[in-house]
Amino acid sequence: GDGSDILTPVVVENLDPQALITAIGSGNGPGVSYSAYPVPQSGNPHSTKISLYSQVMHYGKPVTIAPKLLALDKGLPILHEALTYSIDGIVLGSAMTDTRGVVSFTLPSDIAVGKHTLSVNFVGDSPFYTAANKTTTLSVTKTDTFLKMDKNSE
């Protein structure tokens, strides 16, 4: 056509990240992609943290965890970054954070009964973000099995 459907990227300096998010909404439209944080003016990356709580699951039943990656200075979510999860030091998967800074991992249903170390790791993204790691306890319990027997009629 006439070129009116072509978008030109614009670099904006010193824009408050919250103002950017408010101005463009959730960023879920077709082809919309943005980062909540500009390159830090100081040259130091933003400090990060991962929120994740202790988990309890029943052996044989998968459970989904949803850790969240946040920047500490404003508490805003960090978008489109990879988080890796491991159990007892064995890496089981990796996925990208969504527009809320959240990623979902389904833990395997065959993790042995007992207490395990569940870790979620973010390697960082220089010059934007520092690395972060969150470790918590995963307790796997035994599922009770019930056997119902009907009286055999003779």
Side-chain angles (χ1 to χ4, degrees):
D2 62 2
S4 63
D5 58 343
I6 297 173
L7 298 176
T8 304
V10 176
V11 176
V12 179
E13 293 183 24
N14 301 321
L15 178 66
D16 177 43
Q18 189 58 53
L20 175 63
I21 291 171
T22 301
I24 63 176
S26 66
N28 291 330
V32 175
S33 178
Y34 62 89
S35 176
Y37 286 95
V39 175
Q41 297 297 322
S42 66
N44 296 325
H46 297 282
S47 294
T48 62
K49 77 171 188 174
I50 297 171
S51 66
L52 176 68
Y53 303 99
S54 295
Q55 303 290 317
V56 176
M57 67 182 286
H58 297 287
Y59 180 82
K61 296 183 181 182
V63 69
T64 299
I65 62 169
K68 186 172 190 173
L69 181 62
L70 299 167
L72 286 176
D73 53 358
K74 295 214 182 216
L76 294 174
I78 299 175
L79 323 173
H80 311 296
E81 295 288 350
L83 295 182
T84 301
Y85 79 101
S86 61
I87 297 175
D88 296 333
I90 299 169
V91 174
L92 298 177
S94 184
M96 300 296 279
T97 57
D98 63 16
T99 57
R100 298 169 298 136
V102 174
V103 65
S104 294
F105 297 117
T106 300
L107 301 178
S109 61
D110 61 349
I111 299 170
V113 171
K115 292 197 181 285
H116 301 273
T117 301
L118 172 61
S119 296
V120 177
N121 186 52
F122 171 58
V123 297
D125 184 4
S126 182
F128 300 101
Y129 310 111
T130 61
N133 186 53
K134 177 68 176 188
T135 300
T136 190
T137 301
L138 170 66
S139 297
V140 181
T141 61
K142 190 175 184 179
T143 303
D144 293 327
T145 304
F146 296 95
L147 179 61
K148 182 179 178 188
M149 298 179 70
D150 290 327
K151 188 171 152 181
N152 196 4
S153 61
E154 293 181 28

